[in-house]
């Protein structure tokens, strides 16, 4: 009788098959949704900061968005990246260096460009309202603010790209785990996230865990198409947990308890967003697919765009009522996404080489309709 190797010790080999078209389509629309959440979150923080909350209702609703829904975007992006990249990556020096070269162009170049442009702006032209100025850069150090190590990058949302590059650099470790102890690797990275950083739900160990988990699902050939059975458990739990997030300012969480809860919430949120992505009105949305083509450009350019828009809004409009604040919250973010998408499409059409350089990727203008449902 042949010996069956227990699952934790079984090697997870690279997957040569093409990604399921349904899964690919859902990843595409999620890119647009998640970038939209990030831009809206950054564009709306003038409510509660520059303009005090009008009421507990306004604080609850905006806490749900800022500290809940928008926070799921980061781990889900890392999980998607791991799913796409680790599924077929070989554990060889040649494959690793090919990965390094590719990501240096696709992510490293835009990262440096969109830090360098705004550093040069504040050094030679002037400060950017709500964003930064010359003394801020000089005090922290120009090089440190450019590369973003040991501090946040000058264009602060780009910390995500910095950490993504760092996680890419760790892929040999992940591939060793896949070959020797795939399930144990998942457990150890999860423990490093939960135990190693107890005061913050965001950490490099958490991003590494999400990235590894995405690759683990890919190499286990997990059936991510048929997730309807998850809905009855995942979606009500996520809805209840989202309410707790909204109530967190009044629940007396200390930083450690809130961080632990938010980690569980993020894992639940990743599953919930994936469940929602199978809905036809989301998965088959032509608008979302077209926005996905511009999502990386919008991410790269949404700051300082939203900061400048906020600087114009604050003196003109100080919404005092709950309804006015809820209406005012998305204004800067929505306006930024519309303007930057139009700018992106214009650059892609008129200056495709420049657009490709700025986004670090080949130009993809044509919308590909999602496959017909089976």
């Amino acid at each position: 009788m042949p010996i069956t190797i227990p699952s934790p010790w079984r090697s997870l080999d690279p997957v040569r098959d093409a990604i399921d078209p349904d899964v690919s389509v859902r990843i595409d629309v999620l890119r647009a949704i998640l970038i939209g959440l990030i831009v809206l979150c950054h564009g709306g923080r003038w409510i509660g900061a520059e303009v005090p909350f009008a009421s507990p209702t306004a604080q609850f609703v905006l806490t749900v968005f800022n500290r809940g829904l928008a926070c799921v975007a980061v781990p889900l992006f890392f999980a998607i990246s791991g799913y796409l990249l680790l599924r077929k990556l070989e554990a060889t020096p040649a494959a690793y260096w090919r990965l390094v070269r590719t990501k240096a162009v696709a992510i490293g170049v835009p990262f440096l460009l969109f830090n360098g442009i705004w550093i040069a702006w504040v050094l030679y032209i002037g400060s950017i309202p709500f964003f930064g100025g010359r003394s801020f850069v000089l005090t922290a150090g120009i090089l440190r603010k450019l590369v973003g190590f040991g501090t946040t990058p000058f264009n602060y949302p780009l910390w995500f790209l910095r950490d993504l590059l760092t996680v890419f650099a760790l892929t040999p470790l992940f591939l060793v785990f896949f070959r020797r102890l795939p399930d144990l690797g998942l457990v150890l990275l999860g423990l490093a996230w939960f135990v190693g950083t107890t005061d913050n739900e965001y950490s490099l160990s958490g991003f590494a865990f999400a990235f590894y988990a995405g690759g683990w699902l890919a190499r286990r050939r997990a059936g991510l198409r048929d997730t309807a059975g998850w809905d009855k458990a995942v979606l009500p739990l996520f809805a209840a947990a989202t309410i707790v997030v909204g109530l967190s300012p009044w629940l007396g969480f200390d930083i450690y308890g809130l961080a632990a809860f938010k980690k569980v919430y993020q894992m639940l949120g990743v599953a919930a967003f994936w469940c929602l992505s199978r809905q036809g009105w989301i998965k088959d949305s032509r608008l979302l697919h077209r926005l996905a083509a511009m999502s990386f450009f919008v991410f790269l350019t949404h700051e300082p765009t939203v900061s400048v828009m906020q600087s114009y809004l604050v003196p003109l409009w100080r919404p005092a009522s709950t309804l006015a604040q809820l209406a005012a919250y998305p204004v800067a973010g929505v306006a930024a996404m519309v303007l930057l998408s139009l700018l992106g499409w214009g650059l892609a059409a008129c200056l495709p080489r420049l657009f490709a350089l700025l986004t670090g990727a080949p130009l993809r203008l044509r919308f590909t309709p999602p496959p017909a449902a089976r």
Side-chain angles (χ1 to χ4, degrees), residues 46 129-130 304-318 332:
W46 63 295
F130 295 172
T305 307
V306 294
S307 289
V308 172
M309 288 182 171
Q310 288 173 37
S311 72
Y312 283 104
L313 273 172
V314 169
L316 295 175
W317 188 17
R318 298 187 69 84

Side-chain angles (χ1 to χ4, degrees), residues 36-47 61-62 65-66 306 309-310 313 317 319 322-338:
L37 289 174
I38 291 170
V39 176
L40 289 174
C41 177
H42 291 164
R45 285 182 176 167
W46 63 295
I47 305 296
V61 173
L62 298 183
F65 192 88
N66 281 336
V306 294
M309 288 182 171
Q310 288 173 37
L313 273 172
W317 188 17
T322 296
L323 287 177
Q325 290 194 348
L326 296 181
Y329 179 90
V331 167
V334 170
M337 284 190 286
V338 171

